[in-house]
Amino acid sequence: MDHIINDEMEMAATDEELFYEQVAGQKRKLYSIAYSYLRNEADSLEVLQEATCRAWIKRKNLKDAERFAPWLTRILINCCNDELKRRKRNTVAEAARSDEGIMEMKSDRRLDMEQALNGVKPKYRQVLVLKYYKDMTLAEIAEVLDKPEGTVKTWLNKGLKQLRDKMKRKGELFYG
């Protein structure tokens, strides 16, 4: 009986070590994806931890070990989207309580780009972020998002159009 318990404990330890190694190998990439969504170090680290916990709990659902990286990335993106929804609910509640509508003028191109990117529909924004911030191919993005490659191409084109429109309007407001 003790032999069986020891074998099970060794298998659990090996499973945990393998999982840890796989996550550790993706850590930098996952953090940068989380940061590109949330633009806050603390929130990005917290979401990375949440995604790791969710992945650990659901690890038995992964049928193909070769797809660990896209599977984990998809979990992370879902966690980021959950956090963004939570922020949006909190922002709406705070805005309702606040009378102030003071906007700060910022001319830095990077900030302008980030603001324009925030105005793009979330499904298009995630494709833009993965393509241009994370240098992923359309096939990799399709795998991560679990969507056909044609859908990813469409979302990329629509996202770029929305981004161009936002930047153009920003330019007209600034220069016009």
Side-chain angles (χ1 to χ4, degrees):
M1 185 70 166
D2 288 339
H3 184 264
I4 294 171
I5 292 171
N6 286 341
D7 286 348
E8 287 178 7
M9 287 175 62
E10 284 178 24
M11 284 176 53
T14 304
D15 188 29
E16 190 174 333
E17 289 170 9
L18 177 63
F19 180 84
Y20 177 77
E21 286 175 16
Q22 289 176 308
V23 170
Q26 299 289 315
K27 190 170 59 176
R28 280 191 182 286
K29 178 182 158 193
L30 294 170
Y31 172 78
S32 65
I33 289 171
Y35 190 86
S36 70
Y37 273 79
L38 304 174
R39 293 183 182 80
N40 176 297
E41 182 180 354
D43 289 347
S44 299
L45 290 170
E46 189 173 323
V47 164
L48 181 56
Q49 186 175 16
E50 172 66 22
T52 304
C53 288
R54 284 187 194 179
W56 174 254
I57 291 166
K58 297 179 181 198
R59 70 191 182 283
K60 304 264 191 253
N61 295 350
L62 180 62
K63 292 166 184 54
D64 181 3
E66 296 295 314
R67 294 180 48 103
F68 181 83
W71 175 76
L72 183 57
T73 304
R74 189 174 318 118
I75 291 172
L76 176 77
I77 289 171
N78 289 337
C79 289
C80 289
N81 287 331
D82 290 348
E83 174 62 17
L84 290 171
K85 287 176 194 169
R86 187 193 65 74
R87 280 185 186 178
K88 192 172 186 177
R89 284 191 305 269
N90 288 347
T91 303
V92 168
E94 287 172 13
R97 289 190 301 259
S98 173
D99 309 333
E100 297 179 34
I102 301 169
M103 281 189 57
E104 197 173 314
M105 189 94 167
K106 295 179 181 161
S107 61
D108 183 42
R109 286 181 187 259
R110 184 179 172 113
L111 289 176
D112 291 344
M113 176 62 86
E114 287 182 6
Q115 287 173 345
L117 195 57
N118 283 338
V120 173
K121 277 188 175 180
K123 66 182 179 183
Y124 303 153
R125 181 175 56 237
Q126 68 186 10
V127 172
L128 291 170
V129 166
L130 294 174
K131 173 76 175 144
Y132 295 108
Y133 283 70
K134 302 299 145 216
D135 295 324
M136 293 176 77
T137 66
L138 293 177
E140 290 170 333
I141 296 169
E143 186 175 4
V144 164
L145 299 179
D146 200 24
K147 298 289 180 192
E149 199 168 329
T151 300
V152 171
K153 285 180 186 176
T154 300
W155 288 2
L156 179 63
N157 289 328
K158 288 183 178 183
L160 286 171
K161 183 182 181 326
Q162 281 187 10
L163 189 60
R164 278 192 294 271
D165 290 346
K166 300 258 182 232
M167 292 301 287
K168 184 177 177 185
R169 272 189 251 129
K170 185 116 182 135
E172 289 171 359
L173 289 173
F174 190 73
Y175 296 109

